[in-house]
């Protein structure tokens, strides 16, 4: 008795196809079971193909061309809520810096070059000086015509009387005269348009340079950190470790603070430091951040 083997053939075109997840390709049952053991003789080895998978990223570009994801770095705890609270406390804009800061001390009707020079001088005078005193000195200087030419024609004794009682006024007389002469000789009476050139001027530090870039040139080059910003950011623990100088604080802040906030921080925190977060006896009871401020917990 002959035992016949019944062969069942199917049309290839009618074979169901199995989708391979995540690959966008389809496999026939024959291909899907290629890895299983088969009792049928293998006529020839199958040719393998490498599968290239392109991962889609959020901006719609292929993973091969996309920039690698940035790993979030350190940032202070609760800083966004602390910032929001400070904005609320500063919403009235009634601190001395809001009316007497560098952006309010120049003659708005003067030519652009003269305005920029006056902004730089107000910043030089403001170092270690209250805004009210700086504003008074600027008024006296402007009353005599505050230009590069007029300052160079003013003798040191008269210049000292005009700017007194700003802090370190004798040194500032010397720095103002030296800087003004450099501006006339090398910048055609204008001020430099870069931080590097500004800090090279006598009596001009990093804080003044960044503020000059922002107010005079409309360019945000960095965070302007004075004693108020230095003190408050350390109290709030906005630096990864305690910083000893304003310049250390600036570097620490710029490592994590979003660049879009750099222009706001100086005026916001200076006014906050003038009214609530005072150098001595800060008014923590009136501060919305009392429960969030590490320094307040230590007082």
């Amino acid at each position: 008795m002959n035992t016949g083997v019944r062969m069942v053939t199917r049309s290839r075109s009618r074979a169901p196809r199995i989708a391979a997840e995540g690959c966008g390709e389809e496999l026939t049952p024959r291909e899907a079971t290629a890895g299983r053991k088969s009792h049928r003789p293998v006529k020839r080895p199958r040719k393998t193909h490498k599968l290239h998978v392109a991962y889609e990223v959020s901006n719609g570009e292929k993973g091969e061309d996309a920039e690698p994801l940035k790993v979030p770095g350190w940032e202070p705890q609760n800083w966004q809520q602390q910032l929001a609270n400070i904005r609320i406390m500063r919403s009235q804009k009634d601190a001395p810096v809001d009316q007497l800061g560098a952006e309010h001390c120049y003659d708005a009707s003067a030519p652009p070059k003269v305005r920029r020079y006056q902004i730089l001088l107000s910043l030089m005078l403001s170092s270690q000086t209250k805004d009210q005193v700086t504003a008074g000195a600027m008024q006296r200087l402007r009353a005599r015509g505050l230009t590069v030419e007029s300052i160079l024609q003013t003798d040191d004794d008269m210049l000292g009387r005009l700017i007194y009682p700003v802090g370190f006024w004798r040194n500032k007389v010397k720095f103002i005269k030296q800087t003004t002469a450099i501006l006339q000789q090398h910048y055609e009476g204008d001020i430099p348009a870069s931080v590097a050139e500004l800090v090279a001027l006598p009596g001009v530090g990093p804080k003044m340079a960044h503020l000059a870039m922002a107010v005079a040139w409309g360019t945000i080059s960095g965070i302007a950190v004075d004693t108020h910003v230095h003190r408050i950011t350390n109290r709030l623990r906005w630096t990864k470790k305690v910083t000893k100088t304003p310049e250390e604080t600036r570097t620490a802040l710029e490592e994590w603070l979003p660049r879009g906030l750099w222009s706001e921080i100086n005026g916001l925190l200076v006014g906050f430091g003038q009214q609530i977060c005072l150098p001595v006896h800060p008014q923590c009871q009136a501060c919305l951040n009392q429960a969030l401020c590490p320094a307040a917990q230590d007082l």
Side-chain angles (χ1 to χ4, degrees):
M1 181 176 178
N2 294 331
T3 304
V5 178
R6 187 172 62 176
M7 303 284 293
V8 179
T9 60
R10 294 181 181 177
S11 171
R12 185 176 182 86
S13 61
R14 294 173 57 88
R17 304 184 67 83
I18 302 173
E21 287 187 35
C23 301
E25 297 182 359
E26 294 182 345
L27 303 178
T28 64
R30 182 182 183 91
E31 293 168 326
T33 58
R36 303 176 186 174
K37 290 184 179 182
S38 175
H39 297 290
R40 297 178 182 178
V42 179
K43 296 181 180 180
R44 62 180 181 276
R46 289 190 175 275
K47 190 175 182 180
T48 59
H49 299 277
K50 288 185 178 180
L51 183 62
H52 298 279
V53 180
Y55 294 93
E56 189 174 352
V57 291
S58 58
N59 60 3
E61 296 179 351
K62 295 298 180 181
E64 182 179 347
D65 300 324
E67 294 182 0
L69 293 175
K70 294 181 179 179
V71 178
W74 178 89
E75 64 179 30
Q77 186 177 12
N78 299 320
W79 75 269
Q80 291 176 316
Q81 185 60 55
Q82 292 168 339
L83 178 61
N85 288 339
I86 294 173
R87 284 173 175 157
I88 293 172
M89 291 183 281
R90 290 279 289 115
S91 60
Q92 298 300 314
K93 302 284 185 184
D94 54 0
V97 69
D98 297 313
Q99 285 80 38
L100 305 173
E103 62 270 32
H104 303 290
C105 290
Y106 64 88
D107 181 3
S109 64
K113 188 183 295 187
V114 175
R115 291 202 304 265
R116 290 191 287 268
Y117 175 67
Q118 292 181 1
I119 290 168
L120 180 61
L121 250 63
S122 70
L123 290 169
M124 294 176 69
L125 292 172
S126 69
S127 175
Q128 301 296 312
T129 305
K130 293 189 175 186
D131 288 330
Q132 298 91 326
V133 176
T134 301
M138 286 295 294
Q139 287 179 348
R140 293 188 292 273
L141 289 170
R142 285 173 52 191
R144 295 172 57 90
L146 182 51
T147 64
V148 167
E149 292 76 17
S150 68
I151 289 297
L152 291 177
Q153 293 170 5
T154 303
D155 62 62
D156 290 2
D157 183 64
M158 174 58 70
L159 183 57
R161 290 202 296 269
L162 290 171
I163 68 172
Y164 181 85
V166 300
F168 304 99
W169 63 272
R170 291 184 178 86
N171 287 337
K172 289 178 182 178
V173 166
K174 178 179 64 175
F175 292 149
I176 287 172
K177 280 297 193 71
Q178 292 174 342
T179 289
T180 303
I182 292 171
L183 298 181
Q184 185 187 56
Q185 295 168 9
H186 300 286
Y187 296 96
E188 299 180 350
D190 208 341
I191 71 172
S194 73
V195 171
E197 291 175 291
L198 283 166
V199 296
L201 297 171
V204 178
K207 181 209 76 172
M208 303 177 208
H210 288 299
L211 281 175
M213 291 297 296
V215 179
W217 292 110
T219 300
I220 306 303
S221 56
I223 301 174
V225 177
D226 67 352
T227 55
H228 291 291
V229 179
H230 173 65
R231 176 181 73 256
I232 293 168
T233 53
N234 271 276
R235 283 178 175 175
L236 292 173
R237 305 295 191 267
W238 279 14
T239 57
K240 196 171 184 178
K241 61 180 181 179
V242 176
T243 55
K244 297 182 179 179
T245 66
E247 189 61 8
E248 284 184 16
T249 302
R250 180 188 67 80
T251 301
L253 288 174
E254 290 179 0
E255 287 179 353
W256 69 267
L257 189 69
R259 194 178 183 90
L261 299 175
W262 289 10
S263 62
E264 178 187 15
I265 288 299
N266 179 266
L268 192 69
L269 296 188
V270 168
F272 181 57
Q274 291 174 336
Q275 294 181 311
I276 296 178
C277 197
L278 306 173
V280 181
H281 305 304
Q283 300 178 19
C284 297
Q285 297 297 329
C287 182
L288 297 179
N289 283 326
Q290 183 180 13
L292 299 174
C293 177
Q297 311 307 314
D298 298 335
L299 295 176

